[in-house]
Amino acid sequence: RGVLASRATRVPDSMFLAAARTLASMATEEELAAGRLLPPIPDIRKIIHRVATAVAKEAGYEGPIEQWEPAYLPYKKAVSDQP
């Protein structure tokens, strides 16, 4: 998202490094002590936003990073004509 938001035409190593450092900084001391190097998946929206912001900033972009929220339709069981 950071690359898209900044409209970067190139992705240099510095942008990958910004993403990696940001991701690494999000793991707590407790998670690291338990052997987990990455933050928990339930925090994925926060993780994506922070990493995208760091990458966009590295690209020189200072604007907001849009956070897309999915809107799911209610589940409907499919009806089949076959037995």
Side-chain angles (χ1 to χ4, degrees), residues 1-6 8 11-26 46-65 67:
R1 287 196 174 147
V3 173
L4 295 175
S6 66
V11 183
D13 289 346
S14 62
M15 290 170 75
F16 282 104
L17 190 55
R21 285 184 173 153
T22 301
L23 184 59
S25 74
M26 294 182 74
K46 178 176 72 172
I47 295 165
I48 289 170
H49 191 262
R50 285 184 57 187
V51 170
T53 300
V55 169
K57 186 175 180 180
E58 182 64 29
Y61 180 74
E62 296 295 331
I65 303 294
Q67 186 74 21

